[in-house]
Amino acid sequence: IRGVAEMAITSEASLEQHRETAAEIVEACDELLVMVNSMLAISEMESGVARLDAQPVDCAGLVADTCELFEPATEDRGVKLSVEAPGLALVSGDRPRLQQAVANLLDNAIKYTAAGGAIHVKVAIEGGDVVVSVQDTGVGIAGGDLPHIFERFYRADHSRSKPGNGLGLGLVRGIVKMHGGRVEVSSVVGQGTAFSLHLPALVEGRRGQQAMSAQRGRNLGD
């Protein structure tokens, strides 16, 4: 940022060129703010300082809304996005934080899935947990990288050419742990990756699920 700004000061560029330089600086500042805010959020979660605005959250509705936001990105990439969710899957949680966790997983899945691939997002109730899974047919993660993917700034070899700062998955794990849950991941290189967020279900959510005799599934973009 400083280097670009210094070049702008010393150059005799046109007004339009200076505007382009200013736009580059603004974009770089935005990226830096995202990184700093993510680092602060992870640190607060790990230290126990962060607080949840816990309310009943329907994960089925949250996932559907989040996937809808990502529909244009998947269409641009030529990737099929499908969603499978029950009518009700309640947890006690902070909706914006949970939505951020799902959004981070979707962003990763889109980033590493080539055109013609698919991403399947599912919400289910298993035992006493609401499970949100994001499965893609992307490049996959090598076995040696899997134990480290939640570490800050860690980026596997295949991801170094992609934009990112290596903080997204750490933020996902921090958010889920704040909610008393856990994150599971499985992957096969060349076949794809599946992340599962396990969150304690509210009793109302389990009853609501039992009352629903059928699941509603829809393919976005069809």
Side-chain angles (χ1 to χ4, degrees):
I1 293 172
R2 182 181 176 86
V4 173
E6 287 178 345
M7 289 178 61
I9 291 172
T10 58
S11 71
E12 297 181 357
S14 66
L15 178 59
E16 183 60 32
Q17 289 173 319
H18 279 303
R19 285 174 174 166
E20 291 177 0
T21 301
E24 290 179 15
I25 292 173
V26 170
E27 184 177 353
C29 287
D30 287 343
E31 292 174 357
L32 185 60
L33 284 172
V34 169
M35 183 178 70
V36 171
N37 287 334
S38 296
M39 289 173 59
L40 289 173
I42 293 171
S43 296
E44 289 176 351
M45 292 174 192
E46 290 179 346
S47 64
V49 175
R51 294 290 179 265
L52 286 176
D53 181 17
Q55 299 177 10
V57 176
D58 176 21
C59 284
L62 180 149
V63 164
D65 291 344
T66 308
C67 287
E68 188 172 355
L69 293 174
F70 279 86
E71 183 180 356
T74 58
E75 291 179 349
D76 289 343
R77 293 273 296 180
V79 174
K80 184 176 181 180
L81 175 61
S82 60
V83 184
E84 180 183 353
L88 191 65
L90 289 178
V91 301
S92 176
D94 188 315
R95 182 182 172 88
R97 291 184 188 268
L98 290 173
Q99 188 164 30
Q100 183 177 19
V102 175
N104 283 3
L105 293 182
L106 276 171
D107 184 61
N108 269 7
I110 294 169
K111 191 183 301 181
Y112 298 114
T113 302
I119 299 170
H120 184 64
V121 186
K122 181 179 179 180
V123 182
I125 296 182
E126 300 177 4
D129 289 340
V130 171
V131 181
V132 179
S133 60
V134 178
Q135 185 170 6
D136 64 58
T137 59
V139 297
I141 304 170
D145 290 319
L146 278 176
H148 306 287
I149 59 174
F150 296 103
E151 298 173 6
R152 298 186 209 184
F153 301 113
Y154 185 85
R155 305 195 72 196
D157 288 339
H158 72 270
S159 66
R160 297 185 192 277
S161 61
K162 303 287 185 179
N165 52 37
L167 293 170
L169 290 178
L171 197 56
V172 170
R173 183 175 66 173
I175 291 171
V176 173
K177 288 181 69 176
M178 281 184 69
H179 288 78
R182 69 185 189 280
V183 183
E184 295 181 353
V185 57
S186 61
S187 186
V188 178
V189 174
Q191 296 185 25
T193 303
F195 284 91
S196 297
L197 312 182
H198 295 251
L199 301 163
L202 284 178
V203 173
E204 292 86 345
R206 292 198 295 272
R207 289 175 179 169
Q209 169 66 6
Q210 292 169 357
M212 299 294 295
S213 58
Q215 290 186 337
R216 58 179 177 85
R218 63 189 179 100
N219 289 334
L220 295 180
D222 286 355

